[in-house]
Amino acid sequence: MDREYAGSGAIRNYAAILAVDALVLGWDGVRLWSGGAILAALVCLSLGAACAVTGVLLYVRWGLPRYRLHPDGIEFHRPGGPKAVRWADVAGVSEFKGPPFELGEHALFYGPVLPVGLLVGERVLEIIHRPGSRFLIRESLVDGYDGLRQDILNHVGRDTLVNLQARYWRRK
């Protein structure tokens, strides 16, 4: 049975907040322009445009990806193209927990920094392939992370090394 997990709702919320910021800054820029404050209007309009572009890029890059699990493996569909991992090629699964800064120092953190992760830390699931590569899934970038993790553990073989208590400071 195939299961699909979508990108995080937190990313969509961020994109919506940035869209509202863009609208408010654009509205203020138009009002300042009509009031004669051209320099302040240009600053507001450029900040509004930056918010709009950032929101769109954030949504397209991190809000659209999908994880699809099927009996043969896992596929990650993203705007740059899909990536697939076969269950037969998985040698190990580890879950790392810790602050984003420390995870980033050990090449376990990717994607945008979210305020919740700064406060409570992050979880990253690492799927190690037999050819020597790895596949990372960050908790805050996927809806239903706990269900996705459990489905992955149900699919991997019995000879797969599983470590769900890994911490960033134990990484070699």
Side-chain angles (χ1 to χ4, degrees):
M1 167 173 44
D2 287 0
R3 284 194 133 160
E4 187 169 297
Y5 294 88
S8 174
I11 298 297
R12 291 188 292 275
N13 292 343
Y14 260 18
I17 288 170
L18 287 169
V20 170
D21 285 345
L23 289 173
V24 169
L25 286 167
W27 178 257
D28 284 345
V30 169
R31 284 185 349 153
L32 287 169
W33 187 280
S34 64
I38 308 263
L39 185 60
L42 289 175
V43 169
C44 281
L45 290 172
S46 61
L47 285 174
C51 284
V53 168
T54 303
V56 167
L57 292 176
L58 187 68
Y59 178 74
V60 168
R61 177 66 177 104
W62 302 106
L64 291 179
R66 302 279 185 267
Y67 295 90
R68 176 171 288 157
L69 277 72
H70 47 83
D72 296 332
I74 181 173
E75 293 177 16
F76 177 50
H77 296 276
R78 61 181 176 214
K83 181 178 181 179
V85 176
R86 292 176 9 136
W87 298 127
D89 294 335
V90 175
V93 177
S94 296
E95 184 179 59
F96 292 89
K97 302 171 187 172
F101 176 73
E102 294 293 336
L103 291 169
E105 282 187 346
H106 295 86
L108 292 165
F109 188 81
Y110 63 97
V113 178
L114 304 174
V116 173
L118 292 174
L119 296 175
V120 299
E122 289 273 358
R123 290 191 298 173
V124 176
L125 193 68
E126 177 187 45
I127 301 173
I128 302 163
H129 306 220
R130 288 210 165 93
S133 60
R134 65 184 184 164
F135 185 67
L136 300 173
I137 300 173
R138 196 172 127 200
E139 173 189 19
S140 60
L141 297 181
V142 59
D143 275 341
Y145 173 83
D146 290 326
L148 174 64
R149 181 186 61 179
Q150 190 57 49
D151 284 345
I152 288 171
L153 294 178
N154 291 339
H155 278 94
V156 294
R158 293 181 186 244
D159 58 340
T160 303
L161 298 173
V162 176
N163 181 8
L164 297 181
Q165 303 300 320
R167 300 268 190 250
Y168 64 90
W169 56 82
R170 292 189 188 153
R171 180 122 177 111
K172 294 180 182 177

